[in-house]
Amino acid sequence: MQSRQEYLSTMRVRYLKARNRQEKSQILDELERTLGYARKYAIATMKPKPEHDKPPAKRTRSLRYRDVMPIVQIVWE
């Protein structure tokens, strides 16, 4: 597993330095043959890793009908 990770990291560097689509396509072909990856998965593994320290903040919905809730509860009963 470690050798696979080393291979992927060197291939990722080559992929990111590739100047045109032909070079990238050749690298992806090599990944497909060597590791048996599907092409889309190989493309996904070649993308640069995000350098986020923390996950993005979750959006919270605003409570639009907070003022009307007691009335709605009374009508609902």
Side-chain angles (χ1 to χ4, degrees):
M1 204 57 181
Q2 184 179 359
S3 61
R4 181 177 286 202
Q5 291 299 324
E6 291 171 5
Y7 177 72
L8 279 174
S9 65
T10 57
M11 294 301 285
R12 186 177 293 120
V13 170
R14 273 184 55 199
Y15 185 81
L16 294 175
K17 288 183 179 180
R19 295 184 183 266
N20 57 26
R21 182 175 271 180
Q22 280 182 330
E23 291 177 28
K24 289 184 178 189
S25 181
Q26 289 174 350
I27 293 169
L28 292 173
D29 290 339
E30 185 179 332
L31 272 175
E32 286 181 71
R33 283 191 308 270
T34 307
L35 299 177
Y37 285 176
R39 190 154 188 97
K40 289 290 184 177
Y41 184 73
I43 292 169
T45 57
M46 290 295 105
K47 288 183 180 180
K49 299 292 181 187
E51 297 180 11
H52 300 294
D53 291 342
K54 59 182 182 177
K58 288 187 176 181
R59 275 186 25 190
T60 57
R61 289 187 176 191
S62 61
L63 298 174
R64 288 177 155 175
Y65 305 110
R66 180 184 287 177
D67 299 334
V68 191
M69 280 308 291
I71 299 169
V72 171
Q73 289 175 347
I74 292 172
V75 171
W76 199 269
E77 293 175 352

